[in-house]
Amino acid sequence: MTATPFRTAEEEQGLLAKIYTDGVQNGQAVHGDIGITYQIGLKELINRRILSKPVLESYYTDEFYGKELGLKAWESIQHLDMIPDDLAKKMAESTARNKLIVETYQTNQEKYGQTILFAVSVEHAIQLTAQFRKAGIAADYVVSSIKDMITGVTLSREENEKKINAYRVGDLQVLINVNILTEGVDLPKTQTVFLTRPTVSTILMTQMIGRALRGTAAGGTANAYIVSFIDAWDEHIAWVNPESLFVGNNDFQENAYEQKQRDLRMIAISKIEEFARILDDSTDTSLLEKVPFTQRIPVGMYAFTYLEENGGIEHAYQVMVYNSTQKAYENMMDSLPDLFQSFHAEEEYLSEHQLMEMEKQCRDTFFCGEMVPPYEPKDVIHILKYYAQYESVPKFYTFDEVDRSKLDVGVIAQHIWDEDMGERKKAEYIDKIWNDADDNMLRLFFGKKLYFLRQLDIELMKIRYPDIYEENVVYETRKLEELSLHDIGKVNPEMELQLREMAFEKAKTSDGNYQCAACGMKNHSRACFHVDHIIPMNQGGKSVPENLQILCRQCNGIKGDQI
């Protein structure tokens, strides 16, 4: 009996059917076929009210964490799912964050009903309990019977059970806990889960949201509200987005509208860091700002999970893909088998050195040239880790249901400009489109009105001053022949791309393969070769393209004079 009979890796699909070949079909025993005796899907379980229908909501805290996060702390989060004490303390003591959590429940108390809240720490649980009670909401907290080293709080198993029972009979509306209500506790009247503690573990996330998924036919509720409180992080940490657990085979959406809403929430969460950077005056985001806004909306995503070697934590990732990077990702996915073969990468868990070298090869082969928005090296590394474990490319999900024209801030800005709106009329118009939109697309996408207003100001500035993003930087003058390809790429990404294309075209043989300039090895995939300056760029008065040739990985490890 299994709740996860499907696999995302193609080569693992159907393996259970090869083991279990005796089953039941139409009430009759069958042999030598797929051995399924009984099956039921998530959507049917929801339709039959055995499970609640998940309703996912997100609130943005405006809090920024992780600045100057050390390697040890980062590894504690990434590999052990443990937030360092000093960071947990900062989150627990955030007055604004705690106020948002309490007010969100207070405003929606009738809708949310009985709620289980997952807190960051014992201190956080205590702080929130006090704030809920101050707001007139019956709340209490349960923690492990092990003494907390920071607060000194110890609750016995009996005390915890007494509070859990008070919640079960309805005397408490909110039960706050720290990691002890994830499994083995039956609280069927739970209508809502508040996720105030981020996690990198898909297993923990599944357990947390599962507390509210008992349907009416099983003594639970019709809808389960999964409410996330989302912070901005300076460091790249793979926090699990609860939306990702319902992507693919777990699809529970009933119609295109619900899928569009989910897609918008997925996109919005991925854009938080970008919007925050644009608000930060100390960060140069001019390259991003100058492109048409609709080009900054993803066209789809690769969604997948894999296991970390240390601790065995299962991570869920979503790699957002834009018009600027879509073709590059497609080419990379097609070349992954050749890439792994050329690096002799056969282990399930790759070393950091292997991952860095393979990511560099992907950058040079697929992601050179100007791409705005650009690709993220960390995204490529996650894909490489996934492929190493499953030898299969992750599945791509499109955002076709999202109408990008309704999110085009440039069009909104142009309308304001053409109508010559004064400040008062402009403010009224902005409030109207923000608050009165039938489908809430702007609010879902931007999350915060401040992010929307900042982007609108940028688009109005581009209309008023069309030359504002013209390149005015004067670079240090150096001969092109003296620069490496990477240095050329920093000054002129398109020239780097053109030079690499020239080198490969020059190395192409009549049979359609590419040939190493040193040893003559041939292969159809560019991922097996490296473009380099085999002879000095300024030697013999030759032009740059003549001096660029391709080497296989083995020859690339040998110095030029040895070749």
Side-chain angles (χ1 to χ4, degrees):
M1 181 174 177
T2 176
T4 55
F6 49 83
R7 301 297 297 169
T8 55
E10 289 184 9
E11 78 282 356
E12 292 189 8
Q13 293 174 5
L15 289 184
L16 285 176
K18 294 178 181 179
I19 300 171
Y20 300 99
T21 57
D22 297 337
V24 176
Q25 292 180 8
N26 300 321
Q28 300 295 320
V30 294
H31 304 279
D33 200 349
I34 298 176
I36 297 174
T37 300
Y38 177 81
Q39 63 180 332
I40 188 168
L42 182 60
K43 189 169 184 177
E44 186 178 351
L45 288 168
I46 293 171
N47 289 339
R48 289 171 54 176
R49 297 178 299 159
I50 295 169
L51 291 181
S52 304
K53 180 181 177 180
V55 180
L56 294 105
E57 300 178 356
S58 300
Y59 293 89
Y60 301 92
T61 67
D62 295 342
E63 295 293 299
F64 291 82
Y65 299 114
K67 189 175 183 180
E68 299 177 356
L69 192 67
L71 178 60
K72 185 176 180 181
W74 183 88
E75 288 181 341
S76 173
I77 295 172
Q78 195 69 16
H79 300 311
L80 302 176
D81 200 28
M82 293 177 60
I83 299 174
D85 291 342
D86 58 338
L87 198 52
K89 182 177 178 64
K90 184 177 179 182
M91 296 175 75
E93 293 178 349
S94 170
T95 303
R97 192 176 190 270
N98 291 341
K99 182 180 179 183
L100 173 66
I101 293 167
V102 174
E103 288 183 350
T104 298
Y105 180 84
Q106 191 174 23
T107 304
N108 301 279
Q109 186 168 355
E110 185 175 344
K111 178 176 79 170
Y112 290 154
Q114 284 196 282
T115 296
I116 292 178
L117 186 152
F118 291 90
V120 175
S121 63
V122 174
E123 181 180 2
H124 193 213
I126 295 171
Q127 293 261 15
L128 284 174
T129 300
Q131 292 299 314
F132 273 108
R133 288 175 176 173
K134 187 176 180 181
I137 298 162
D140 214 329
Y141 66 92
V142 289
V143 299
S144 171
S145 59
I146 300 174
K147 184 176 181 179
D148 183 74
M149 298 302 293
I150 296 177
T151 64
V153 170
T154 302
L155 290 179
S156 68
R157 184 172 181 176
E158 291 74 19
E159 288 176 292
N160 280 336
E161 188 55 46
K162 183 178 179 181
K163 294 180 179 181
I164 291 171
N165 191 58
Y167 176 84
R168 186 178 286 119
V169 299
D171 292 340
L172 295 176
Q173 284 299 104
V174 178
L175 187 60
I176 304 166
N177 82 103
V178 185
N179 288 346
I180 71 167
L181 294 180
T182 54
E183 56 182 330
V185 179
D186 186 28
L187 300 170
K189 295 302 181 183
T190 299
Q191 175 103 358
T192 302
V193 168
F194 268 30
L195 303 172
T196 75
R197 178 246 196 270
T199 178
V200 298
S201 169
T202 56
I203 294 174
L204 179 58
M205 178 61 75
T206 302
Q207 291 172 337
M208 289 194 294
I209 68 175
R211 296 307 92 204
L213 288 178
R214 181 190 282 245
T216 55
T221 59
N223 292 325
Y225 295 94
I226 313 300
V227 184
S228 301
F229 293 87
I230 301 171
D231 311 298
W233 287 76
D234 295 318
E235 297 292 333
H236 293 302
I237 298 173
W239 300 119
V240 177
N241 176 358
E243 301 271 0
S244 67
L245 302 182
F246 299 96
V247 171
N249 288 321
N250 282 341
D251 193 10
F252 66 90
Q253 282 75 21
E254 294 181 352
N255 53 52
Y257 173 78
E258 289 182 338
Q259 180 166 341
K260 181 185 71 175
Q261 300 291 98
R262 185 204 66 187
D263 290 347
L264 277 169
R265 288 192 297 268
M266 294 282 283
I267 295 171
I269 290 171
S270 75
K271 304 297 284 184
I272 291 174
E273 185 179 347
E274 175 189 312
F275 293 148
R277 286 204 314 270
I278 290 174
L279 279 175
D280 183 359
D281 293 333
S282 67
T283 305
D284 183 9
T285 55
S286 55
L287 273 179
L288 196 62
E289 294 170 18
K290 75 176 184 180
V291 302
F293 185 77
T294 52
Q295 291 184 21
R296 289 163 49 195
I297 302 173
V299 297
M301 67 178 177
Y302 291 99
F304 53 95
T305 61
Y306 67 80
L307 290 172
E308 285 285 2
E309 183 175 13
N310 298 322
I313 290 179
E314 185 179 46
H315 292 301
Y317 288 95
Q318 301 85 48
V319 174
M320 294 295 159
V321 179
Y322 300 86
N323 283 322
S324 59
T325 58
Q326 186 173 16
K327 189 63 179 177
Y329 272 115
E330 289 172 355
N331 291 336
M332 185 189 82
M333 297 301 178
D334 290 341
S335 300
L336 283 177
D338 296 307
L339 177 70
F340 272 70
Q341 185 177 5
S342 70
F343 275 83
H344 305 291
E346 299 175 350
E347 299 297 321
E348 186 176 2
Y349 298 102
L350 302 179
S351 68
E352 287 299 317
H353 176 72
Q354 279 180 304
L355 289 168
M356 296 300 292
E357 288 296 309
M358 293 173 77
E359 189 283 319
K360 182 177 179 294
Q361 180 69 40
C362 288
R363 182 267 170 202
D364 292 346
T365 307
F366 308 110
F367 295 99
C368 61
E370 187 169 73
M371 294 180 176
V372 183
Y375 91 106
E376 290 281 355
K378 66 180 179 65
D379 288 339
V380 172
I381 288 175
H382 294 323
I383 291 170
L384 293 174
K385 286 183 175 182
Y386 174 84
Y387 189 87
Q389 290 186 21
Y390 298 108
E391 295 184 11
S392 174
V393 300
K395 187 173 180 180
F396 182 73
Y397 299 89
T398 66
F399 292 144
D400 290 341
E401 297 296 333
V402 176
D403 184 354
R404 284 165 176 72
S405 65
K406 293 186 177 181
L407 297 171
D408 194 340
V409 185
V411 171
I412 297 172
Q414 190 66 56
H415 177 71
I416 291 172
W417 180 262
D418 292 342
E419 294 295 318
D420 195 18
M421 295 183 185
E423 288 300 316
R424 182 173 179 176
K425 189 176 179 182
K426 173 184 166 185
E428 290 174 352
Y429 174 68
I430 290 171
D431 287 343
K432 184 177 188 304
I433 61 175
W434 180 261
N435 296 319
D436 296 347
D438 292 336
D439 49 14
N440 275 347
M441 285 188 69
L442 286 174
R443 275 181 286 171
L444 277 172
F445 182 78
F446 285 97
K448 289 178 54 184
K449 193 174 183 179
L450 181 61
Y451 293 154
F452 168 64
L453 292 174
R454 174 58 174 158
Q455 188 58 50
L456 186 61
D457 287 343
I458 290 169
E459 296 300 317
L460 285 167
M461 194 181 303
K462 286 158 69 174
I463 296 170
R464 186 173 183 179
Y465 306 106
D467 299 331
I468 193 170
Y469 289 107
E470 290 295 319
E471 183 64 77
N472 294 316
V473 179
V474 178
Y475 292 99
E476 176 188 359
T477 302
R478 292 176 63 187
K479 289 183 178 180
L480 189 64
E481 291 84 354
E482 297 175 358
L483 299 177
S484 69
L485 271 179
H486 278 277
D487 286 337
I488 292 172
K490 292 175 184 177
V491 179
N492 191 332
E494 289 305 307
M495 179 175 286
E496 179 196 6
L497 176 61
Q498 183 181 5
L499 290 173
R500 290 185 183 277
E501 291 292 333
M502 286 180 176
F504 273 104
E505 195 59 36
K506 178 181 169 184
K508 199 169 188 177
T509 61
S510 58
D511 59 1
N513 287 310
Y514 301 105
Q515 187 170 20
C516 175
C519 70
M521 185 276 284
K522 294 182 180 181
N523 196 290
H524 70 282
S525 175
R526 293 187 177 192
C528 301
F529 297 97
H530 179 78
V531 181
D532 211 339
H533 308 160
I534 296 179
I535 56 178
M537 297 284 279
N538 56 3
Q539 181 173 314
K542 292 186 177 182
S543 65
V544 173
E546 289 181 294
N547 287 313
L548 285 172
Q549 300 182 55
I550 68 170
L551 297 175
C552 67
R553 281 198 47 74
Q554 183 175 354
C555 292
N556 185 49
I558 306 173
K559 292 182 179 179
D561 57 347
Q562 292 175 303
I563 293 174

